[in-house]
């Protein structure tokens, strides 16, 4: 991993490989660094195990390796990671805990947005690849999450916190080393995923397994021994998934790129059902790129011993605590909500915890807006999330008014599931086209070629179908289970908050 030259755009050591396989250098650097991180994670778990070394050493090694990978991929742009972390740590230390979470939120998100504006509109508009603002998006999540967790832990009484917030609450200010290790460790510096500060510190100190052993059944049984569970099986399976996803993406997406639905004038003359089918196949071949990145990131964390989430009923260990997606649940989702519940899960959790649960007015719209701002300054993001609000509200109205009529028999339920699956896939494809093409012009040309049909349908459904609204009911639901009352795009998988509830009982 030694570099020949390192510039503002990262190492050029792998330039020959990039030219050989005809892929951008930054993407090649990213994949090679992640594979290096995977091997290093195995070494980290075996030779820097908490039983063999101190948390201080583990923090130092994880942080230095993270900075090295960042420098290899992004060159001196990686200094932005330090600047963003340093500014917000100063705020945490020198401002009162009563308001520091707000200041950290504004500064972290503002600095991220400034970097995104500079990269997009000053340097390389339209080049959507592995850029330095990608890691900053994850660091922003970690900074703001930690700021709110410190605020909860140091200013609020236990009875004023939700069960998940009680576990996540941080009771003392982290040291600078702990803070940098949490933000910039080599396990998640390039692609995340976001995790809670308490979970990360438990991993570094070697106490994470203890709570999970207790959560399994409240006591040790024959299948759940108190020795550290091995992640080998899950890492191998996830690496196999990565290989398959990469093969699918490189093979099929070049055959049916999304841009063809906009740039090919002959395509708009095709029958509508063929255009719908092509769009679905195009998005189906694009999603494996994200599956590859997130599954590889999950495997890296697991290889280091991070991500253990208790045991299955058959006694096998679960390594999905910080997993970012569930592929089968995504591909066979029968609702817009279900699709998004299983897509970018850790980001959904972050949006729920820092925005939806805390925003006093219009939390659904505020959460969509924050999600768009966090993703970047490309106009396509905002078109996607504005469309997503309409689709979410329309889907909610349809479900409340139609679903109960199909629950009388298994046949009717099957028909309902097939129809809703097809509708969900079409709605997702239609909604995310601007997210893929980024610019306003191509996005509007696509929507115009479809006569804005889904927008109009969503507006009509929202106006025509009544939706029960009861603030008392909503508050009651929120007290019972916060995950049940969140917006469709920001619902975190319920098992995550259930884990927090279990942890609360064992601590």
């Amino acid at each position: 991993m030694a570099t020949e030259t390192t510039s503002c755009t990262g190492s050029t050591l792998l330039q020959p490989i990039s030219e050989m396989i005809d892929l951008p250098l930054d993407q090649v650097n990213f994949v090679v660094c992640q594979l290096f991180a995977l091997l290093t994670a195995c070494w980290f778990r075996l030779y820097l195990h908490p039983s063999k070394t101190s948390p201080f050493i583990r923090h130092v090694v994880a942080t230095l390796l993270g900075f090295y990978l960042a420098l290899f991929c992004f060159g001196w742009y990686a200094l932005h990671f330090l600047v963003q972390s340093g500014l917000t740590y100063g705020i945490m230390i020198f401002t009162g805990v009563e308001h520091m979470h707000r200041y950290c939120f504004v500064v972290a998100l503002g600095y991220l947005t400034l970097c995104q504006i500079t990269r997009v509109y000053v340097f390389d508009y339209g080049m959507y690849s592995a850029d330095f603002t990608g890691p900053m998006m994850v660091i922003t999540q970690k900074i703001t999450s930690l700021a709110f967790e410190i605020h909860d832990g140091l200013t609020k009484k236990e009875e004023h916190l939700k069960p998940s917030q009680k576990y996540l609450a941080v009771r003392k200010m982290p040291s600078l080393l702990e803070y940098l290790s949490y933000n910039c460790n080599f396990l998640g510096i390039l692609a995340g995923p976001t995790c809670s500060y308490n979970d990360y510190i438990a991993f570094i100190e070697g106490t994470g397994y203890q709570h999970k052993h207790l959560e399994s059944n409240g006591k040790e049984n024959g299948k759940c021994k108190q020795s550290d569970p091995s992640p080998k099986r899950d890492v191998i399976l996830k690496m196999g998934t990565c290989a398959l996803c990469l093969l699918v993406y490189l093979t099929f997406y070049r055959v049916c790129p999304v841009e063809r639905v906009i740039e090919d004038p002959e395509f708009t003359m095709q029958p509508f059902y063929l255009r719908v089918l092509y769009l679905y196949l195009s998005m189906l071949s694009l999603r494996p790129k994200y599956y590859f990145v997130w599954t590889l990131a999950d495997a890296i964390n697991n290889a280091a011993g991070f991500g253990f989430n208790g045991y299955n009923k058959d006694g096998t260990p679960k390594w999905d605590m910080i997993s970012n997606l569930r592929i089968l649940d995504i591909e066979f989702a029968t609702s817009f909500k279900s699709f998004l519940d299983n897509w970018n899960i850790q980001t959904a959790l972050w949006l729920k915890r820092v925005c939806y649960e805390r925003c006093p007015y219009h939390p659904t719209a505020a959460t969509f807006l924050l999600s768009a701002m966090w993703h970047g300054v490309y106009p396509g993001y905002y078109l996607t999330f504005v469309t997503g609000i309409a689709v979410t509200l329309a889907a909610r109205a349809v479900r409340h008014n139609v679903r109960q009529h199909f629950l009388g028999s298994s046949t009717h339920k099957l028909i309902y599931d097939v129809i809703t699956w097809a509708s969900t896939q079409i709605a997702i494809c239609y909604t995310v086209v601007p997210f893929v093409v980024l610019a306003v012009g191509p996005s509007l040309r696509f929507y115009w070629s479809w006569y804005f049909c889904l927008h109009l349908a969503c507006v009509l459904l929202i106006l025509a179908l009544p939706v029960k609204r009861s603030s008392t009911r909503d508050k009651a639901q929120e007290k019972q289970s916060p995950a049940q009352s969140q917006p469709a795009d920001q619902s975190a998988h319920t098992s995550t908050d259930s884990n927090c509830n279990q942890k609360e009982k064992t601590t």
Side-chain angles (χ1 to χ4, degrees):
M1 292 293 292
T3 62
E4 291 180 345
T5 59
T6 300
S7 65
C8 285
T9 55
S11 172
T12 58
L13 176 65
L14 302 176
Q15 184 69 47
I17 298 178
S18 171
E19 296 172 354
M20 184 184 308
I21 62 178
D22 192 26
L23 285 175
L25 177 61
D26 54 359
Q27 294 183 11
V28 174
N29 283 346
F30 170 82
V31 173
V32 170
C33 281
Q34 286 292 76
L35 294 177
F36 173 78
L38 178 68
L39 296 176
T40 306
C42 297
W43 168 82
F44 191 83
R45 179 173 61 87
L46 295 175
Y47 295 99
L48 291 183
H49 190 273
S51 63
K52 299 179 180 179
T53 189
S54 67
F56 176 81
I57 297 298
R58 283 167 64 84
H59 277 304
V60 169
V61 172
T63 305
L64 291 179
L65 285 172
F67 285 139
Y68 175 72
L69 294 181
L71 190 65
F72 188 94
C73 282
F74 309 109
W76 297 112
Y77 283 127
L79 290 177
H80 286 291
F81 308 164
L82 283 177
V83 173
Q84 186 186 34
S85 298
L87 286 174
T88 51
Y89 188 73
I91 292 173
M92 291 180 181
I93 295 298
F94 296 110
T95 62
V97 293
E98 191 67 34
H99 302 291
M100 114 358 226
H101 59 299
R102 296 191 181 96
Y103 299 150
C104 284
F105 181 88
V106 172
V107 170
L109 189 62
Y111 193 85
L112 171 65
T113 302
L114 179 63
C115 289
Q116 289 171 329
I117 291 173
T118 302
R119 190 189 72 82
V120 171
Y121 294 109
V122 176
F123 295 113
D124 56 355
Y125 184 91
M127 292 181 63
Y128 185 76
S129 56
D131 65 274
F132 75 97
T133 60
M136 289 184 67
M137 294 166 69
V138 178
I139 293 173
T140 298
Q141 289 184 348
K142 292 182 176 182
I143 289 170
T144 53
S145 295
L146 178 57
F148 278 96
E149 290 161 5
I150 293 173
H151 173 75
D152 290 342
L154 298 182
T155 66
K156 293 185 178 180
K157 296 180 180 180
E158 290 275 333
E159 57 268 22
H160 295 157
L161 298 175
K162 295 181 175 66
S164 60
Q165 292 174 339
K166 290 180 183 180
Y167 170 75
L168 296 171
V170 176
R171 307 297 177 183
K172 68 174 184 175
M173 193 68 68
S175 68
L176 180 59
L177 176 60
E178 291 171 333
Y179 184 72
L180 291 177
S181 176
Y182 172 59
N183 285 340
C184 303
N185 64 81
F186 76 97
L187 303 174
I189 184 67
L190 299 183
T194 299
C195 61
S196 78
Y197 176 79
N198 284 343
D199 284 334
Y200 179 73
I201 293 300
F203 156 70
I204 289 293
E205 296 178 350
T207 60
Y209 296 124
Q210 298 173 11
H211 295 304
K212 294 298 180 181
H213 281 299
L214 291 172
E215 286 168 17
S216 296
N217 280 317
K219 60 181 180 179
E220 182 181 2
N221 58 39
K223 298 179 180 178
C224 302
K225 299 179 181 179
Q226 291 291 345
S227 60
D228 290 354
S230 172
K232 181 171 66 173
R233 174 179 174 273
D234 287 77
V235 171
I236 292 174
L237 288 175
K238 289 174 182 179
M239 292 306 298
T241 301
C242 287
L244 179 60
C245 290
L246 186 62
L247 178 64
V248 170
Y249 171 69
L250 294 177
T251 302
F252 293 101
Y253 188 67
R254 294 183 179 184
V255 177
C256 50
V258 174
E259 290 76 12
R260 186 185 173 194
V261 303
I262 301 167
E263 298 172 356
D264 188 349
E266 295 183 0
F267 187 80
T268 58
M269 305 301 294
Q270 298 295 323
F272 185 72
Y273 73 91
L274 289 180
R275 291 158 57 192
V276 171
L277 179 61
Y278 178 89
L279 182 62
Y280 168 70
L281 293 175
S282 179
M283 290 298 179
L284 184 65
S285 63
L286 174 63
R287 286 196 288 270
K289 178 177 74 170
Y290 299 94
Y291 297 163
F292 168 79
V293 171
W294 288 334
T295 304
L296 178 57
D298 196 20
I300 292 169
N301 282 271
N302 293 166
F306 189 28
F308 176 62
N309 200 27
Y311 292 90
N312 296 303
K313 293 181 179 179
D314 61 358
T316 57
K318 294 189 298 183
W319 290 89
D320 62 352
M321 185 176 71
I322 55 173
S323 295
N324 228 0
L325 77 167
R326 298 176 179 86
I327 296 176
L328 294 180
D329 290 338
I330 289 171
E331 296 300 339
F332 294 100
T334 58
S335 71
F336 201 76
K337 175 184 182 301
S338 177
F339 185 102
L340 295 169
D341 280 355
N342 296 286
W343 174 271
N344 206 353
I345 296 169
Q346 300 307 318
T347 294
L349 274 173
W350 170 69
L351 289 164
K352 169 196 169 186
R353 291 167 179 167
V354 305
C355 183
Y356 186 79
E357 289 184 341
R358 302 176 190 268
C359 184
Y361 305 107
H362 307 293
T364 299
T367 305
F368 271 108
L369 177 61
L370 173 59
S371 184
M373 292 177 62
W374 173 79
H375 275 91
V377 294
Y378 285 111
Y381 295 152
Y382 292 85
L383 287 174
T384 287
F385 288 108
V386 168
T387 304
I389 295 174
V391 174
T392 297
L393 296 176
R396 187 180 299 168
V398 170
R399 180 179 178 83
H400 286 176
N401 288 274
V402 176
R403 184 173 182 271
Q404 63 269 24
H405 300 298
F406 287 84
L407 300 180
S409 69
S410 57
T411 302
H412 291 168
K413 179 65 166 57
L414 177 61
I415 294 173
Y416 176 83
D417 288 342
V418 171
I419 294 174
T420 52
W421 172 83
S423 302
T424 297
Q425 297 303 321
I426 294 173
I428 289 291
C429 294
Y430 179 94
T431 301
V432 302
V433 166
F435 194 98
V436 176
V437 301
L438 302 176
V440 173
S443 301
L444 293 180
R445 284 201 301 273
F446 166 76
Y447 282 147
W448 180 253
S449 70
W450 281 51
Y451 304 106
F452 289 88
C453 60
L454 192 60
H455 289 85
L456 296 174
C458 289
V459 171
L460 291 175
L461 288 170
I462 293 170
L463 295 176
L465 297 178
V467 177
K468 295 180 181 178
R469 292 182 175 87
S470 172
S471 58
T472 303
R473 180 203 65 182
D474 292 341
K475 290 180 181 179
Q477 285 185 346
E478 186 172 302
K479 289 180 180 179
Q480 292 173 4
S481 175
Q484 294 176 357
S485 59
Q486 59 190 309
D489 73 315
Q490 307 312 334
S491 296
H493 199 274
T494 54
S495 65
T496 305
D497 282 340
S498 296
N499 290 334
C500 292
N501 295 338
Q502 290 176 332
K503 292 171 185 172
E504 168 68 12
K505 294 176 182 177
T506 60
T507 54

